[in-house]
Structures are given as structure tokens and as C-alpha cells.
Amino acid sequence: MDITLTQKILAQGMDPEIVAQQIDNFKNGFPFLKIHAPATPGHGIKVLSDQELKHYTETYPAQAAKKEIVKFVPASGAASRMFKDLFSFLDGDGDLEKSAFTKKFIENIRKFAFAEELDEALKTKGNTLQECLDAGMYRAIVAALLLHEGLDYGSLPKGLLRFHRYPSENRTPAHEHLIEGVQYAVGRGKKVKIHFTVSPEHETKFKAEIAKVLPAIKASSGLEFEVSYSQQKKTTDTIAVNMDNTAFLEDDGSLLFRPAGHGALLENLNDIKADLIFIKNIDNVVPDRLKEPTKTYKMAIAGLLLEVQERIFDALRAMEKGVNHESLAMAIKVYNEDLGGQVPPSVSSENMHELAEYLKDKLNRPIRVCGMVKNTGEPGGGPFWIEEKDGSYSLQILETAQIDLNDPQSKAHMMASTHFNPVDLVCGTRDYHGREFDLLKFRDMQTGFITEKSKSGRELKALELPGLWNGAMAGWNTLFVEVPLITFNPVKTVNDLLREEHQG
């Protein structure tokens, strides 16, 4: 790296060594992961019986009452992509027949939880919503929803949009996550801790929304709440390059650094101090009438994690007291039966201390239990068994981009995949001494993503860090559990809110 480039990197507060590695990643790309097999029910995905479900949901609350629990909600994404088709309509001639998406939106406008607010916004311009509908003023309706002079939904984050209608209120996803917290994230001291990762420009609005709705939730639940916020750290931004892998320079000569995807939030997660951390996306919420399955399975996967974690801790404590046949047998049983691990031939089973060191390394890691739902469309990214460098196998969540589709065997494994990841995780990030793991040490930096973007009409290549639940957690101990499809109801476009699952 030349001196001028290094000086520019330092001047912009970034680390030259890290940036140099990023540029190397652009030049060399990322290797595909070696898939051993898809994780399927009975082979990597646990399907809970009714008896197990009952057991975990009954034992979890008492265990949770002794734990520090945090509900971690990535909420910094803007909602602009939800309204892509409406923005296109706004830029057009206002002919509803040319946009099936917008036509559906307009025809069902009264079904949206924001309809009343939209009516008020239109009144300030001189017409009610009904008057605009009657007069065919469809662009005025869309403008009042999206633009700053109206509700400004086009620039707000998803967490602050009105998703669900109730008799006495219309809730945002942020509000729904508070309600969910009451259902399964009550920890020590009857306290619910919720952490939102937000964009700097939206934090004040998030705080205002929470301040408005929280008193009623506290009063009805009798619980204490601790709501905290963090922002994606600028130091996690990655350099952008031209198509020839040279640094992309802005018009003023400065380097272009871009947010590095949800994998950058590993640093935020690393700052959370808790025994249990639930992770769920901001837009994956449902009205109260459909919350029961989510509550049940969140409690179940957390109860499972705590039981498996305690068996791991017992095995590690036993080996710490003394390496012998009994303590090794205990550790091997946990590694095999709970985590699906197999000691590879490269590790001598005759050398007790070599075996103990291997088992300690494999067991003394952060642990996560991930809900998995059945594929409803074409197989793609999801849960797989991966062959590690030491010959062992581990459970990983892969994106399609990490799979070599030109390799017939890899493609066959992907096509045989039965489930996908709905971002439904519970994590244990403390070791058997109660110390926080440094989560950055368990990330596989060879699992990033390169994408093509543009800036000011110029093409560029961008780099995403290993995804938060993908390569960022590659070194974790992982369990997969099948959860019902009803627990996965994301909102990708505004018309998704018309689905029965999001109607009151």
C-alpha cells in the first residue's frame, strides 16, 4: 500500500492494516465453504416433541429469573425498500393501471394501520383521504405517505412505521418488540432489557416512540424495563474499490467507506453483557392474536440452550479438576450427543491431554440455538453441516453466495436443504466461569461478501463483513431447532402488511 493511500486511511480514522486486508479480499475473493451435508430433521435440526416443548417452556421461566437477559433487535435499516414501487409510481404519470402494486395499495388503503394518520396528513393539504380517493388523486396520497411534508415513511426506519391496528392504538414494530419482551425475555429482578441498534439520525425518534408507549406496558405488566440503543460503529465500515480493485475516490479526493452489512453489528453484540441474548429482526412481528407460537418457541429454544450449556459447563469444570477417563467420557458425550460433534482421526484418542485440549477448545465457545422454518419456496441459504480444516464438522448458516453452485455436489446439497434461517436466535455469550467471550475471536473473516454498487453514476465494488448469524458466528457451538412458519412474518414491502398475519 503506498504512503499516500495510508495517509488518507489514517486521516479518515481507519486502520491501514485492516483496509489492506479488505483490498486483498477484493483482489482474491472469498472461498466457498465445503458442505458436508444439509442440516435436516434428525440430522442437525432438532424437532421438539410435545413433551420436550412442555418441559422447556415450563422450566425456562424459573431459570430466566436468575439470568441477565437482553433482547437484541437490529433496527437501523431504512424502510425505503418497502416503498420502492410507490416511489416509482410517484415519479411516473399517476396512472394507477400501470402499477399493479400501487393499485393494490390504493384499493386496500383503509386496511393499513397508518390510514388514520395518512388522513390527517392529507387534511393539512386541504383534502381528506376519501376526497383524494374519489378525485383519483393517487399521487397526492402516495406523496403524503412517503415524503417529508407528510408522514415521511420513505425515510423512516421500519421500526417506527405503523404496522398493526388495535381497537385502542396502532403499533409500530418497536412497540411490538416491547410486548414480546414481556412474554419471554423477563430476567433477573423482573426486568426486561431490550437493545435496539439504530441509525444516528433515527435514535431521537426511537426514544420518543418508546417513551410514549412504555408507561402503559410497565403499568399492565408490573415489570421494570431497560431500553438501550447503539449505532453501527464507523470503524466497521469497509473501503469501496473501483472495478479494477483500486481505491474508489470521492470527488473531493477522500476514500469512500461504506457500512459493512449486518455483520458489523457483531461489535455491538460484543458490547452486550448478559447470560442470554435473543436476536430477532425488527420487522418480524405479528399482532397479539398470533404471538403465542413465538412466545412458546422462544422459551423452548432458550430452555434448551440453558440445559445444553450447563452440561457443557459441567464437562469443562470436570476436565479442569482433572483430566481422566471419567472427565473425558463426560466431555465426549456432550460433544457428540448435544452438539453433534465427532473427534476427527487427526486427534489421538490415546493421548488423554491432547484429546482434552481438543475438547476444551471445542466446548469452551459461545453457544447459540437457532430456530429454523421449513422451506416454502426454492431451497437457498440455510442450515448446513460444514467440513472444518481439522476434519471435524460444524453446523453453520450459509447464504447462497457462500455455496459453489458450479460444483454438482454442493448444488445437490443445497437443493436437498429443507429449512431456512428466519433470524430467530438465542445466544449464550459467557463462559463457564461467567466471563464474557470476545465474540470477535470466533468470527471467520473468510466468509465475507463482495457486491457491485454505484456512486454518483460510477460503478464500484463493496465489501460486507461476515454476516451476523453467518460467518460472524462460525466458531460458535450451534444447535438448530425446527420452529413453526407462523413465527416468521417479515415485511419486505408495504403490501405485505395486507397479509392476514398482519391484519388485526
Side-chain angles (χ1 to χ4, degrees):
M1 191 182 296
D2 64 54
I3 295 173
T4 306
L5 183 57
T6 301
Q7 289 172 337
K8 283 179 181 287
I9 294 167
L10 289 169
Q12 291 180 232
M14 307 302 274
D15 185 329
E17 197 172 316
I18 292 174
V19 174
Q21 181 58 58
Q22 291 169 3
I23 292 173
D24 281 345
N25 288 335
F26 280 117
K27 292 175 179 175
N28 302 321
F30 293 103
F32 294 112
L33 291 182
K34 191 172 182 182
I35 300 175
H36 173 65
T40 52
H43 185 55
I45 298 179
K46 186 174 179 63
V47 180
L48 299 177
S49 66
D50 291 343
Q51 187 178 356
E52 288 173 315
L53 202 59
K54 185 172 185 287
H55 167 72
Y56 291 127
T57 53
E58 287 179 351
T59 59
Y60 169 71
Q63 293 173 295
K66 305 171 193 171
K67 306 290 185 183
E68 293 292 327
I69 300 175
V70 172
K71 186 166 154 54
F72 184 90
V73 185
S76 54
S80 51
R81 278 179 291 184
M82 273 181 64
F83 305 108
K84 178 184 167 190
D85 291 276
L86 295 187
F87 273 115
S88 296
F89 175 78
L90 202 56
D91 292 336
D93 60 10
D95 184 351
L96 207 57
E97 297 305 317
K98 293 179 181 176
S99 173
F101 184 95
T102 307
K103 186 177 182 181
K104 181 178 181 180
F105 171 79
I106 292 292
E107 288 175 345
N108 294 278
I109 194 77
R110 298 286 186 189
K111 295 181 181 178
F112 291 102
F114 51 73
E116 290 85 356
E117 285 181 297
L118 182 58
D119 189 30
E120 292 301 318
L122 285 163
K123 283 178 186 176
T124 65
K125 300 290 185 183
N127 296 98
T128 65
L129 174 57
Q130 190 58 51
E131 287 168 346
C132 288
L133 290 169
D134 292 342
M137 298 167 60
Y138 306 127
R139 290 179 78 222
I141 294 171
V142 173
L145 177 72
L146 299 182
L147 303 184
H148 182 65
E149 308 82 61
L151 299 184
D152 201 25
Y153 270 31
S155 61
L156 287 177
K158 283 185 184 180
L160 297 179
L161 310 184
R162 301 286 161 201
F163 266 31
H164 301 142
R165 177 182 278 134
Y166 293 84
S168 61
E169 63 189 2
N170 296 321
R171 290 187 198 159
T172 62
H175 189 163
E176 296 286 19
H177 276 282
L178 296 177
I179 302 293
E180 273 197 21
V182 172
Q183 296 189 329
Y184 59 77
V186 183
R188 187 180 298 150
K190 291 190 174 181
K191 182 177 279 190
V192 179
K193 295 184 177 182
I194 301 187
H195 183 88
F196 294 100
T197 64
V198 299
S199 298
E201 66 271 22
H202 296 139
E203 185 168 334
T204 300
K205 289 178 180 175
F206 261 98
K207 288 180 175 176
E209 168 69 6
I210 300 303
K212 185 171 71 175
V213 303
L214 193 54
I217 299 172
K218 290 171 73 171
S220 63
S221 67
L223 300 169
E224 288 298 311
F225 275 77
E226 184 180 303
V227 182
S228 56
Y229 307 86
S230 65
Q231 299 166 8
Q232 193 164 307
K233 299 179 182 180
K234 289 298 293 179
T235 52
T236 63
D237 288 358
T238 53
I239 194 168
V241 298
N242 297 303
M243 303 309 286
D244 64 356
N245 299 320
T246 57
F248 184 100
L249 297 180
E250 299 265 41
D251 292 339
D252 63 2
S254 63
L255 300 169
L256 175 61
F257 288 91
R258 305 178 79 262
H262 55 69
L265 295 179
L266 183 66
E267 301 240 9
N268 303 64
L269 186 66
N270 205 30
D271 291 336
I272 300 291
K273 310 302 179 192
D275 298 301
L276 273 182
I277 304 172
F278 290 94
I279 303 179
K280 188 180 180 186
N281 279 343
I282 187 69
D283 65 331
N284 185 17
V285 286
V286 289
D288 287 349
R289 66 183 177 84
L290 294 176
K291 282 191 174 72
E292 196 60 35
T294 292
K295 173 187 175 182
T296 298
Y297 274 86
K298 278 283 198 281
M299 293 170 69
I301 65 175
L304 172 63
L305 184 146
L306 290 171
E307 286 197 6
V308 171
Q309 186 183 57
E310 195 52 43
R311 287 195 286 272
I312 291 171
F313 287 176
D314 286 345
L316 287 165
R317 291 184 190 113
M319 286 191 291
E320 192 170 66
K321 285 180 182 175
V323 174
N324 50 49
H325 290 294
E326 187 179 351
S327 64
L328 286 175
M330 189 181 198
I332 289 171
K333 185 179 182 187
V334 172
Y335 185 48
N336 290 354
E337 295 181 10
D338 285 310
L339 300 177
Q342 294 289 332
V343 178
S346 58
V347 178
S348 170
S349 57
E350 304 299 318
N351 187 326
M352 291 174 64
H353 288 284
E354 181 184 337
L355 181 57
E357 286 307 307
Y358 177 85
L359 291 167
K360 286 177 188 174
D361 174 64
K362 290 293 186 182
L363 296 180
N364 194 27
R365 298 176 176 217
I367 183 172
R368 60 178 178 162
V369 180
C370 311
M372 290 288 158
V373 296
K374 289 180 180 177
N375 283 334
T376 52
E378 283 294 308
F384 292 89
W385 287 100
I386 299 303
E387 186 174 333
E388 302 286 0
K389 293 183 179 71
D390 65 4
S392 65
Y393 301 110
S394 69
L395 288 169
Q396 303 286 345
I397 297 171
L398 269 61
E399 299 286 354
T400 305
Q402 296 173 278
I403 302 170
D404 185 1
L405 297 180
N406 291 320
D407 174 55
Q409 191 172 41
S410 294
K411 187 172 183 179
H413 286 321
M414 190 190 82
M415 296 308 293
S417 177
T418 58
H419 289 64
F420 71 92
N421 161 45
V423 189
D424 182 3
L425 292 82
V426 60
C427 308
T429 56
R430 286 178 171 159
D431 69 12
Y432 66 107
H433 290 296
R435 298 173 301 210
E436 310 287 342
F437 284 109
D438 179 1
L439 304 182
L440 303 182
K441 292 181 178 176
F442 298 90
R443 174 172 58 179
D444 180 358
M445 291 303 291
Q446 287 299 300
T447 55
F449 303 92
I450 295 170
T451 57
E452 293 186 9
K453 306 283 183 182
S454 64
K455 177 81 186 291
S456 305
R458 295 160 54 201
E459 289 187 327
L460 60 84
K461 289 199 284 188
L463 179 69
E464 289 193 17
L465 291 170
L468 184 57
W469 34 86
N470 311 114
M473 295 180 174
W476 293 41
N477 282 323
T478 296
L479 290 89
F480 293 144
V481 173
E482 183 177 274
V483 297
L485 187 58
I486 190 61
T487 63
F488 182 57
N489 289 283
V491 176
K492 301 303 181 189
T493 75
V494 65
N495 282 353
D496 286 343
L497 291 172
L498 296 172
R499 286 167 39 214
E500 194 268 336
E501 291 86 353
H502 288 289
Q503 293 292 301

